Every structure is written in C-alpha cells, then in structure tokens.
Amino acid sequence: MASSPNTPRPPRDRETRALRLTADDLRVLPNFLRQETVGGALMLVATIAALLWANLAPGIYEGLRATQLGPLTVQHWATDGLLTIFFFVAGMELKREFVSGSLSDPKAAMVPVVAAICGMAVPAGFYVAVNATMADGHLNGWAIPMATDIAFAIAILAAVGSKLPVALRAFLLTLAIVDDLGAILVIAVVFTSDLRLVWLAGALACAVVWWLLQRRKIDTWFLYVPLFIGAWWCMLSSGVHATIAGVLLGLLTRSVASDPQDPVDRWSHFWHPVSAGFVVPIFALMAAGVRVSPSALAEMITAPVGLGIVLGLVVGKVIGISAGSYLTTRFTRATLAPDVRWSEIISISILAGVGFTVALFVTELAFPGHPELLAQGKAAVLTASVIAAIGGTIAIRSRVRARERSIPGID
C-alpha cells in the first residue's frame, strides 16, 4: 500500500542523512587543516598539553615516551617515524619552489636566500661564542638556533599581517624553506654516526626506483607506500637520520607547473593536512614536555646552552637576516620587491626567531644521553620562540598600522 504524503519518514532516512553529514564533515576537515593558522594553533595546543603533562604527571609522561612499540619507542616513533612525513611534505614544497616558485628565479630569490644563510650562520655564531667563552659550555648544540619554524611563522604572519604585501609572505616562505634545507643538510652531515653503507645503498635504491616511477608517470599508491617505508627503514638502519628519506623522496617527486595532475600538488594537497593536523602535533606532544621550575628557568638564562640558544634565536636571527638582506641589495643588483619596506624585513626577521619544530628536533639530536642539557635546550627553544612570536606579532601589527596611516581610506 502506498504511503500518504503525511506519513513520517522512517528513522533509517534520518540515520542516512546523519551519515551523509558526517561524510561531508570529513571532507571539510582536510580543507580546515590546510589553513595556515590552523596548523600553528594545533601545534601550540599540543605544546601546552605537553608542558602541563610533563609537569603535573611527569612519571606518566616519561613512561609513555619510553614505551616500546615494535622496533622503536613512542618518542622515537614521533621523531624518527612520523616526522618523516613532515619532511616529505617539506621536500615537496622545496621541489615546487625550485621548479615554479620563489626559488626558480635566482635574481628574485637572491635576497631571501642570502638572508636565510646569514640567518643560520649568525645565530650559530652567537651560540658558539657563548659556549666557547663560558664555563661548562657545550658546543654540540650550535645548530639548534639555526632553525625557523615555517608553520608557526607563516601562521602568525597570516593571522596578524594579512594586509601587508604578498611579496613579504613570499620573502618569509623562501627564507623558511632555505632555512629548512640548511637544517636538513646539517642533520644529514653532522648528526650521522656509524654509517652503514649497505643500508644506505638500500635507501638510495628505493629512491632510484621512486624516481624512475615518477619519470614514467606511474601513479599507483600501492607501489609508492612500500617504497616510502622501505626507504625510511633503510635510512634509519644506515645511521643517517631517517627523516632524510622523506626529504629525498619529496625532492624526487615529479613537478610540472603546467600539468593539472602534477604529483607534487596532488600529494602535498593530501599529505599537508596529515602533517599539520596529526604529525606535528604528536611530535610537539612528545618533544615539548619540559619540567618547568623557577630554578630551571634561572639556569636556562644563565647556563651557556640555554643562553646561547635564546640569544641565537632572538638576537642572532634579527641581525643575520636584516644584515644579509641589506648587504645583498647593497653590493649586488638584487633588490627587494617594490612594495616591501625595510622596517617590514626587520619585523619578519624578528618573527623568524620562532624555532620550535626543527629546533626541538635538533636539540634531541644534539644532546642524546644528557637529559639535563636536553631539558635546558628545549626550555630555551620554547622560551625564545615565545619571545620571537610575541615580538614578531607586535612588530608586524605596527607595520600594518603604519600602512593604514599612510594609505587614506584603507580598512
């Protein structure tokens, strides 16, 4: 018998509609995670959670980090495993910039590239100067203040400096990408011990197969996933840090600007939400937990390791990036973008002192087996990053207000 128009819809229809809504929500979530401010916010929440956890329940926190899951502990799964995905995304971003982005034109890229190099060298110099001249100095951590956290820095600029020229974002993006490349090279060269050539050859063989598949435009995920895992495992076993596998495979991924099916674009589109919404927050949760006490904070400021990191990130970055930019424009034909002001470059250099993800990662590598130095270094990275984030935010907001005053009628 046919149902009348007034017959209520059966519950199954309502359940189906609810299921459809859930599917829609799941499709919206990746787009939400691709927003530049969201990744930084999730990282901040994870960092606060790690700090609270490490100080309120240190036994549980350290016990979880030390829990063995297969071949690695939970902590090492976060730093040596999951973070490989973060570096894979970074490698693809580098490839895109080299092929069609800010690094494809040497003249346009010269200022931020030189600024990035100086922004790595000067902070490292600050750290070495402090630790070489003070008692109980430790030179192993010289690479820690070299890093700029691309996710945090871009998120802060997007949140408070959206009215500044687009060229300024390109400057910061190029700066951070070159900075990441420098950090990757340091990790590969400096923090490699007990090199095992057979395993390294296995990792390189996986990379060659990856490159050949890309060259032949073969786009089958069940070939690439085993290759990725194989390259990661071989690199981990070789003595070279496992995250280098992610960077290498990212750089070997095919990128053609005119191709609508460009693998770099499609794969970055897929993996960026995974990196921003899961990988980096989990890493922050496992890496940022530091015991905080008045004595520990005082020691961080007075001890050479902590003082060198703070001075390197907060002062060294500003001097290095600003001076590198100025000297490049002064002694070469390279120039800043016409709508970018020098005061804005200085503001960006302050913001570049936000080290965080890579700086925490390098701290883990620099002081293995030295928990007191590790805690001191992490506390210094977090403190310096907070100072740089606040200082950069204030400086960028002042630049926005200056532009609003100089352009009548701007909102």
Side-chain angles (χ1 to χ4, degrees):
M1 183 174 65
S3 60
S4 69
N6 296 324
T7 301
R9 292 176 182 264
R12 185 178 299 274
D13 285 353
R14 289 195 295 270
E15 293 172 6
T16 302
R17 289 199 306 275
L19 288 172
R20 283 201 299 267
L21 180 62
T22 302
D24 290 342
D25 289 343
L26 290 175
R27 283 192 290 270
V28 168
L29 180 60
N31 291 329
F32 178 69
L33 292 173
R34 289 185 188 100
Q35 297 179 33
E36 291 172 338
T37 54
V38 172
L42 290 174
M43 202 187 314
L44 179 60
V45 170
T47 301
I48 294 171
L51 289 169
L52 291 174
W53 195 356
N55 286 274
L56 297 178
I60 298 175
Y61 181 76
E62 292 300 331
L64 176 62
R65 279 163 46 99
T67 299
Q68 194 77 23
L69 288 179
L72 302 175
T73 63
V74 170
Q75 176 191 359
H76 286 116
W77 275 117
T79 56
D80 298 353
L82 287 177
L83 209 60
T84 306
I85 297 174
F86 167 82
F87 279 101
F88 176 59
V89 174
M92 289 192 292
E93 289 177 348
L94 274 169
K95 181 61 174 285
R96 184 193 292 113
E97 294 302 317
F98 280 127
V99 171
S100 58
S102 55
L103 298 178
S104 61
D105 181 359
K107 291 182 180 179
M110 184 177 292
V111 176
V113 166
V114 175
I117 294 170
C118 294
M120 291 185 284
V122 175
F126 266 81
Y127 181 93
V128 170
V130 170
N131 282 265
T133 56
M134 291 180 66
D136 300 323
H138 296 270
L139 295 177
N140 289 3
W142 62 270
I144 298 171
M146 292 173 61
T148 293
D149 191 285
I150 186 170
F152 253 145
I154 293 293
I156 293 172
L157 181 62
V160 301
S162 58
K163 294 183 179 180
L164 293 177
V166 175
L168 199 63
R169 182 190 181 280
F171 181 94
L172 177 58
L173 183 63
T174 305
L175 180 82
I177 286 174
V178 175
D179 197 294
D180 273 356
L181 182 59
I184 289 162
L185 292 174
V186 168
I187 292 167
V189 175
V190 177
F191 297 108
T192 295
S193 59
D194 301 324
L195 185 63
R196 291 178 281 278
L197 294 178
V198 173
W199 284 108
L200 181 60
L204 294 178
C206 291
V208 169
V209 175
W210 182 287
W211 176 77
L212 289 173
L213 291 173
Q214 286 291 303
R215 186 177 178 84
R216 292 179 176 274
K217 300 182 180 181
I218 297 173
D219 193 14
T220 308
W221 67 267
F222 57 78
L223 293 177
Y224 289 106
V225 171
L227 270 178
F228 189 96
I229 295 172
W232 168 78
W233 179 254
C234 289
M235 195 69 77
L236 178 68
S237 303
S238 72
V240 179
H241 201 274
T243 53
I244 300 301
V247 180
L248 179 61
L249 297 180
L251 286 170
L252 292 176
T253 302
R254 186 170 57 90
S255 180
V256 181
S258 59
D259 185 356
Q261 296 298 316
D262 181 22
V264 161
D265 282 343
R266 289 188 294 108
W267 292 3
S268 294
H269 188 76
F270 176 84
W271 285 107
H272 184 272
V274 178
S275 177
F278 178 70
V279 170
V280 174
I282 291 296
F283 168 77
L285 187 64
M286 290 294 102
V290 180
R291 298 289 299 278
V292 179
S293 66
S295 60
L297 291 175
E299 185 181 41
M300 179 197 67
I301 299 299
T302 56
V305 169
L307 185 59
I309 292 171
V310 172
L311 287 177
L313 286 171
V314 175
V315 181
K317 281 287 183 183
V318 178
I319 294 174
I321 293 170
S322 301
S325 300
Y326 174 76
L327 292 174
T328 305
T329 58
R330 177 70 176 81
F331 294 107
T332 72
R333 295 183 177 181
T335 60
L336 293 178
D339 54 347
V340 172
R341 302 172 181 176
W342 279 107
S343 58
E344 293 163 353
I345 295 295
I346 295 173
S347 300
I348 289 297
S349 69
I350 298 172
L351 185 59
V354 179
F356 206 77
T357 307
V358 179
L360 287 174
F361 180 46
V362 175
T363 304
E364 296 263 2
L365 300 177
F367 300 119
H370 298 280
E372 69 288 348
L373 295 177
L374 188 58
Q376 189 182 123
K378 287 183 178 182
V381 168
L382 294 173
T383 300
S385 296
V386 169
I387 294 171
I390 294 173
T393 298
I394 293 171
I396 290 169
R397 286 300 301 163
S398 71
R399 293 302 90 213
V400 171
R401 287 194 294 271
R403 281 188 174 268
E404 289 174 345
R405 287 193 299 268
S406 63
I407 305 176
I410 192 171
D411 293 331

